[in-house]
Amino acid sequence: MGLTFSEKILARKAGRPVRAGDVITASPDFYLSHDNSSAIIGEFKKLGLAKVKAPEKIVIILDHIVPAADEKYAQNHKTIREFVWAQSIPNFFDIQHGVCHQVLSESGFALPGRLIMGSDSHTTTYGAYGVFAAGIGRTEMASIWATDEIWLRVPETLRIEFAGDFPHGVFAKDAILKIIGDQGADRANYEAVEFAGPAAASFSLASRMVLANMAAEMGAKNGYFEPDELTLAWARKHGRGDFEPVRSDPDAAYEAVLQYDLSVLEPQIACPHTVDNVKPVREVAGKPFHQALLGTCTNGRFEDLEVAARILRGRSVHPHIRLLVLPASRAVYLEAMKAGLLETLSEAGGVILNPGCGPCLGAHEGLLAPGEVVVGTSNRNFKGRMGGRGSEIYLASPATVAASALEGKIADPRKYL
Amino acid sequence: MSKGRVWKYGDDVNTDVIYAGKYTYQQLEPAEMAKKSLEDLDPSFAAAVKPGDVIVAGKNFGCGSSREQAAACLRYAGVQAVVAKSFSRIYFRNAINLGLAVLQALDAPDALRSGDEIEIDFEGGRILSAGREFKFPPLPESVLDIVRAGGLLEWTKKKLARP
């Protein structure tokens, strides 16, 4: 019986053959933290150590509440900067860079075959680049800083195979929402999810990041696309250091294999208050809302801004709607600015925010008043997540968000594309 | 044996309703964190929970964020254990690391109701309530090591002290 990508990467890290279910000790290639680094520093100090074990493996990217919204957050950032300087941590990205998962990826840390742990649940995003990447908590990250090691259980793998082409106006976000809606929010709990099949190669890297990002919303430990020529060409050009891709064997032991035909998909939307409460957009079309959010680590990349700009070009956001635009990183921001996308979105009435996470987790910039409704491209719609009690979050593709912002009601984007 | 009262909830109780995102980066003290527990799920909980009480829920408890305050706040509120049909992966790890007992029991969640008096026999893997008995499997040995050490930080200290 062959091996899965997880078994191969973790065997390399463990220095011995492993199978799903084994527990190993591994030294990750990199470990990410963000604004929660101040809390991690607090836990690390309890260990009584003067120095972290491997400062060159620590990646810290400030993104959750940037620039600082108040004095407390400013103190958090200050604590982190002083620690970074004292510990000589070379890979520090201050508030101007953007959302951690986007910045870590585009900075060339996420390369095929690597093991990356992050103290953020959407660390799964790097699976788009063939990385075994999983989220952990703060105390656990403090322990990694101290020891350069973590214990991991080798996960079973759920394989999801795609065939066919996306119909006009249907995107990667619609595919992952459909899967989560069909399979449930805990379908892949503790498991690896491998996105594969003949159509997987047709996904752009940005689209692969959407699926790997939201694998976390199925409970997955990681999400993964097999590295192909697209990945390798990107990695050779932008990667930091060596990498060794892995691919699951054709006869690998999967927990299950699911088939999805992209050609029969239509725009999807996750309704409050669970990510698996998914319906076709046409079933909720016409519902009024208050705020539209375009961006985040799920859908804040150039291709996302581009499709929204295509819909909003020469038009205006409905007067009852506030449209927030949150490019995922400074690199995305600059590229979108040079291409005129930010100009188009601003002219349509959008508020262009600095790259960051703020509104997505209800921490900063653009929170909802009690009872308000948001339609956004983020990855979670839990009750109260983006603000006041009784507020509601709908999740959809950038196209659906743009079309909805235009109409002032949830709208099917296909008529605008 | 440890006695407590049941607080019963459903499936997919997520980290945002256990500990809201707006508090995540506020560095609150334990007593304040306890007061925020389950704010968006059950506003009556934080004021009425008593030491030793037990949360009983359905599948996928703790889904969502990696924020470990969602485990810590319940421990600070005095909750001795969460009994659920299944736990989200990161929540499970966080709870173990912070010393909150997370017990996976398939039949207990459907049978128990809010307000039930229960006892938990951690060593024997048993939950007892009004003459009924429910089993839960012991934790894996490698995970038990962390629990026995008193959480991940203590476990790490011991590991670092080894030659």
Side-chain angles (χ1 to χ4, degrees), chain A residues 23 25 34-36 38-39 43 46-47 49 64-65 72-73 76 119-121 134-140 142-143 146-147 149-152 185-186 189-190 219-221 276 361-362 380 382-385 387 389, chain B residues 12 14-17 20-28 39-41 43 59-60 63-69 86-90 92-94 96-98 104 140 142-143 146 152-157 159-160:
Chain A
V23 174
T25 299
H34 43 66
D35 299 42
N36 61 13
S38 56
E43 298 303 312
K46 290 180 192 166
L47 294 170
L49 297 174
H64 268 49
I65 300 135
K72 273 187 185 171
Y73 297 129
N76 280 354
S119 55
D120 185 279
S121 50
I136 54 170
R138 300 165 175 193
T139 301
E140 191 134 50
S143 176
T147 62
E149 283 181 349
I150 184 172
W151 68 269
L152 291 170
D186 67 341
N189 206 2
Y190 301 102
K221 184 169 198 155
D276 57 4
L361 70 153
R380 264 185 200 141
F382 301 152
K383 201 172 181 181
R385 178 171 170 88
R389 198 159 288 173
Chain B
D12 301 311
N14 67 68
T15 48
D16 279 79
V17 298
K22 58 193 166 193
Y23 305 128
T24 308
Y25 296 94
Q26 292 190 7
Q27 312 281 9
L28 302 181
E39 186 176 274
D40 284 323
L41 178 68
K59 67 181 177 66
N60 204 23
C63 59
S65 171
S66 62
R67 74 185 62 143
E68 64 187 28
Q69 299 101 314
S86 64
F87 291 89
S88 130
R89 186 190 76 84
I90 300 177
F92 187 85
R93 284 185 83 109
N94 283 342
I96 295 295
N97 290 339
L98 296 171
Q104 190 171 5
S142 55
V143 175
I146 296 170
L152 189 72
L153 286 184
E154 293 307 313
W155 180 84
T156 302
K157 278 184 195 170
K159 183 173 168 174
L160 290 167

Side-chain angles (χ1 to χ4, degrees), chain A residues 101-157:
Chain A
H101 304 308
Q102 179 67 20
V103 173
L104 188 145
S105 300
E106 70 191 16
S107 300
F109 292 99
L111 298 179
R114 283 186 174 169
L115 172 67
I116 299 179
M117 306 304 296
S119 55
D120 185 279
S121 50
H122 294 106
T123 298
T124 54
T125 307
Y126 320 135
Y129 296 84
V131 179
F132 183 116
I136 54 170
R138 300 165 175 193
T139 301
E140 191 134 50
M141 184 57 80
S143 176
I144 296 183
W145 283 5
T147 62
D148 187 34
E149 283 181 349
I150 184 172
W151 68 269
L152 291 170
R153 183 183 169 279
V154 183
E156 289 77 18
T157 302

Side-chain angles (χ1 to χ4, degrees), chain A residues 140-220:
Chain A
E140 191 134 50
M141 184 57 80
S143 176
I144 296 183
W145 283 5
T147 62
D148 187 34
E149 283 181 349
I150 184 172
W151 68 269
L152 291 170
R153 183 183 169 279
V154 183
E156 289 77 18
T157 302
L158 171 66
R159 183 174 163 98
I160 300 176
E161 295 185 344
F162 296 111
D165 295 323
F166 281 114
H168 195 61
V170 182
F171 302 92
K173 184 63 162 288
D174 300 304
I176 189 66
L177 287 176
K178 173 70 176 159
I179 293 167
I180 296 170
D182 287 352
Q183 304 295 328
D186 67 341
R187 173 63 181 85
N189 206 2
Y190 301 102
E191 293 184 345
V193 173
E194 180 170 2
F195 298 105
S202 68
F203 285 60
S204 66
L205 287 170
S207 287
R208 294 177 197 191
M209 290 172 83
V210 177
L211 278 86
N213 175 281
M214 290 199 67
E217 304 310 321
M218 304 170 71

Side-chain angles (χ1 to χ4, degrees), chain A residues 56-73:
Chain A
E56 72 284 359
K57 290 188 175 185
I58 296 177
V59 182
I60 296 178
I61 301 168
L62 299 187
D63 63 0
H64 268 49
I65 300 135
V66 293
D70 66 23
E71 204 175 312
K72 273 187 185 171
Y73 297 129

Side-chain angles (χ1 to χ4, degrees), chain A residues 359-399:
Chain A
C360 173
L361 70 153
H364 185 30
E365 296 180 316
L367 272 70
L368 302 176
E372 284 193 323
V373 178
V374 65
V375 179
T377 61
S378 59
N379 45 35
R380 264 185 200 141
N381 61 351
F382 301 152
K383 201 172 181 181
R385 178 171 170 88
M386 287 180 64
R389 198 159 288 173
S391 58
E392 296 184 345
I393 305 170
Y394 289 80
L395 308 174
S397 77

